[in-house]
Amino acid sequence: MFCDLHMHSTASDGTDAPDALPRLAKQAGLAAIALTDHDTTAGLPACADAARAARIDFIPGIELSADPSSIPGPAPDTADRPPRGTLHLLGYFIRHDDPQLARVQERLRRAREERNPAMVERLNELGVNITYDEVLEAAGALSAGGSSSSDIVGRPHIAQVMVQKGYVRSIHEAFARYIGEGGEAYVRKDRLAAADAIAAITAAGGLAFLAHPVQLRLDSPDELEHLVKRLAEMGLAGIETRHSDHTPADAQRFEHLAERFDLLTCGGSDYHGGRKAIQLGGVRVPFAVYERLRDAHAAAA
Ligand code: AMP
Ligand code: ZN
Ligand code: FE
Ligand code: FE
């Protein structure tokens, strides 16, 4: 038996509605899933209902973007290094309507509402003529309600419009040339401090996990160890060891790291529907990983 504890729905930047995922997961042979949309819990109630109907175990989750530079490096000489890559924190078993987590979501939404139009403006200056309304439409954010309306608008939606209007041939090209970090139209987004992300997840009754550590793009195992130690002090519960971006050697390395710091492990595909070439359940995560998480949550409650 397998589980998949990392996936996105149309509530953020996936292409499957939250209430469609449980059935698809069942068809893929999975026995438990977690919905972990970026910066929003909007899809959780519909997904929970559909999971009950499909008789598949469900964890209400979230994936929060945090600022890697909110964690000081291991030595003073690291202060002048360029900021590290992506720091994402997964929250599991969160209460979807927790007020503190709601305030965090509101802040992150405002950050996107500032950043997305700024990126569209830069694209316009570069001769890429797309409008912010087209981006909102691509996200489904202009349709009123319904299970496939998006709560979160982001770069994948901008990329989709660029492809549709023929300015780039692929989502990948949109990121590589324009809206990826270092791209001509890239605009940095206000992010949470890691401590605030972990605190919000914990306040909502959840367990916080470090997502896909390879995306941090750290230079050495020592740096990762240092970062995990700091996060553990902030209340981190575990590490995502299995992920589509991880090689088997990465996964093993992260399993050892989790063991060393007495942390739980989780894993998943990071499925985004048609937006990425990743299959639901495409990363084999034993059902026992889900059971340990479930039991840890029950013990903490
Ligand atoms: P945003 O939250 O608006 O900054 O968008 C981030 C999302 O864009 C991530 O969650 C990924 O799903 C997607 N993404 C980031 N980099 C790339 C890339 N190089 N190619 C395709 N998708 C990407
Ligand atoms: Zn995404
Ligand atoms: Fe992520
Ligand atoms: Fe993700």
Side-chain angles (χ1 to χ4, degrees):
M1 287 222 290
F2 295 96
C3 63
D4 189 336
L5 307 181
H6 191 157
M7 66 189 67
H8 298 267
S9 76
T10 47
S12 66
D13 58 355
T15 60
D16 293 300
D19 57 3
L21 285 168
R23 199 172 23 84
L24 293 171
K26 193 95 177 186
Q27 284 163 5
L30 298 167
I33 57 167
L35 177 59
T36 54
D37 274 311
H38 299 284
D39 305 341
T40 182
T41 60
L44 295 179
C47 194
D49 286 348
R52 250 190 307 278
R55 296 179 183 280
I56 179 170
D57 281 5
F58 176 68
I59 300 179
I62 194 165
E63 181 173 24
L64 295 174
S65 306
D67 184 355
S69 69
S70 68
I71 303 167
D77 71 301
T78 56
D80 54 358
R81 287 222 201 120
R84 283 168 292 201
T86 298
L87 172 54
H88 285 173
L89 291 155
L90 291 161
Y92 290 117
F93 288 109
I94 49 163
R95 287 185 294 269
H96 71 93
D97 54 357
D98 178 78
Q100 184 171 334
L101 190 56
R103 278 195 296 277
V104 161
Q105 290 174 67
E106 193 44 47
R107 175 179 153 191
L108 295 171
R109 189 190 328 280
R110 275 200 304 273
R112 287 175 180 280
E113 281 166 2
E114 282 179 26
R115 177 216 211 185
N116 290 330
M119 279 195 290
V120 168
E121 205 169 302
R122 284 212 196 167
L123 286 167
N124 291 166
E125 285 162 12
L126 294 164
V128 178
N129 291 312
I130 66 168
T131 67
Y132 190 45
D133 267 358
E134 287 169 335
V135 174
L136 293 176
E137 201 173 334
L142 293 181
S143 57
S147 69
S148 64
S149 73
S150 179
D151 193 46
I152 284 295
V153 182
R155 287 182 289 164
H157 305 116
I158 296 178
Q160 186 181 323
V161 176
M162 291 170 73
V163 173
Q164 278 165 359
K165 296 188 83 178
Y167 288 106
V168 288
R169 268 157 306 184
S170 65
I171 302 258
H172 178 81
E173 189 186 342
F175 274 88
R177 280 182 59 190
Y178 294 103
I179 58 176
E181 209 169 331
E184 286 184 272
Y186 177 75
V187 175
R188 193 164 278 290
K189 174 172 83 216
D190 174 38
R191 285 166 298 181
L192 294 170
D196 292 341
I198 292 175
I201 288 167
T202 309
L207 299 168
F209 281 65
L210 171 62
H212 42 61
V214 294
Q215 290 187 15
L216 285 160
R217 306 205 173 283
L218 299 179
D219 295 332
S220 70
D222 282 356
E223 275 185 86
L224 179 59
E225 188 168 326
H226 169 85
L227 183 128
V228 166
K229 189 157 177 264
R230 286 285 107 83
L231 292 174
E233 287 161 6
M234 296 170 187
L236 190 78
I239 302 176
E240 185 175 48
T241 59
R242 294 177 173 87
H243 184 272
S244 298
D245 288 349
H246 293 179
T247 64
D250 288 330
Q252 202 169 41
R253 189 156 63 87
F254 301 144
E255 293 275 338
H256 288 311
L257 189 61
E259 223 169 282
R260 188 136 23 100
F261 287 97
D262 204 16
L263 293 167
L264 292 161
T265 64
C266 70
S269 61
D270 211 350
Y271 175 74
H272 278 71
R275 230 165 232 132
K276 291 187 183 179
I278 291 171
Q279 300 300 310
L280 195 55
V283 174
R284 292 319 232 180
V285 182
F287 188 70
V289 170
Y290 160 75
E291 288 178 309
R292 281 194 289 273
L293 225 159
R294 180 197 61 195
D295 295 347
H297 172 253

